[in-house]
Amino acid sequence: APFVHKISVDDDPSRGNSNAPVTVVMFSDFQCPACSATHPVLQKVLSQYGDKIRFVVRDYPLIQAHKNAFKAAEAANAAFVQGKFFEYAEVLYNNQESLDVVNLKRFADELGLNKTQFNADLDSGKFAAEIRKDMADGDEYGLGSTPTIFINGIKVRVLSAQAFKREIERALGK
């Protein structure tokens, strides 16, 4: 039997029913090409299950490899408090070569976020502790790379549509 982690979803961005029978948690780095490639595949699979799935995103910026990943995570958190996390995340994944502060602020403006609040939140570093907490939790769960996806606490070993479906079906007891 696979090892089941007790993955915290604390106050991280999520969509779907909080009482759904299946919780999918993705530890992600917005500058990671594998995350960008995996995200749409996972979203397509999740859309097939409707209210049976809760999807949660946790931050795990690979700061040694991606110089803008931590600031991008801060920006995504700033978008989250304005209710636009998932829209902003899509922009980040689609613009991985342009994640400097100037562009992070431009993306927020293009999405219609409150510019003054977004800039103040991003510049203040107010989300740094939350991101570091996600990173520490990820380390505790044995993460070594991104994306790392857990379905009801079980780490998905193969990042493919078929593997996601198989693990979701298993979690649903089918």
Side-chain angles (χ1 to χ4, degrees):
F3 182 78
V4 179
H5 295 269
K6 290 187 185 289
I7 305 293
S8 169
V9 295
D10 63 358
D11 57 354
D12 291 295
S14 69
R15 67 173 154 209
N17 181 350
S18 61
N19 295 315
V22 177
T23 298
V24 177
V25 178
M26 178 176 175
F27 281 86
S28 186
D29 170 337
F30 292 111
Q31 202 172 1
C32 163
C35 294
S36 178
T38 301
H39 180 75
V41 174
L42 179 60
Q43 293 309 303
K44 185 174 181 183
V45 170
L46 298 181
S47 71
Q48 298 170 21
Y49 292 91
D51 65 354
K52 294 179 179 148
I53 301 284
R54 178 181 185 203
F55 177 59
V56 180
V57 179
R58 301 215 40 206
D59 297 303
Y60 199 78
L62 302 172
I63 53 179
Q64 284 80 12
H66 302 132
K67 70 176 185 164
N68 295 320
F70 195 91
K71 192 53 94 172
E74 287 182 287
N77 278 275
F80 176 48
V81 298
Q82 293 191 41
K84 295 273 189 172
F85 173 84
F86 289 99
E87 296 87 345
Y88 195 82
E90 289 292 330
V91 173
L92 295 179
Y93 284 135
N94 291 321
N95 293 281
Q96 290 186 315
E97 300 304 316
S98 305
L99 300 182
D100 58 85
V101 171
V102 170
N103 282 309
L104 294 173
K105 291 179 178 181
R106 181 176 59 84
F107 300 149
D109 195 37
E110 289 171 358
L111 282 175
L113 297 176
N114 177 309
K115 188 177 196 170
T116 303
Q117 180 185 348
F118 182 89
N119 292 351
D121 287 348
L122 182 60
D123 293 341
S124 72
K126 76 185 261 184
F127 302 108
E130 170 65 26
I131 295 163
R132 284 191 196 95
K133 179 185 178 307
D134 281 2
M135 294 169 70
D137 285 354
D139 291 343
E140 187 178 309
Y141 305 141
L143 270 65
S145 63
T146 57
T148 299
I149 298 168
F150 295 90
I151 297 179
N152 281 4
I154 297 172
K155 185 176 179 180
V156 179
R157 301 279 176 202
V158 177
L159 302 177
S160 70
Q162 297 83 359
F164 298 144
K165 286 179 188 177
R166 183 174 52 250
E167 291 303 322
I168 290 168
E169 294 292 323
R170 183 158 59 115
L172 289 170
K174 293 184 178 179

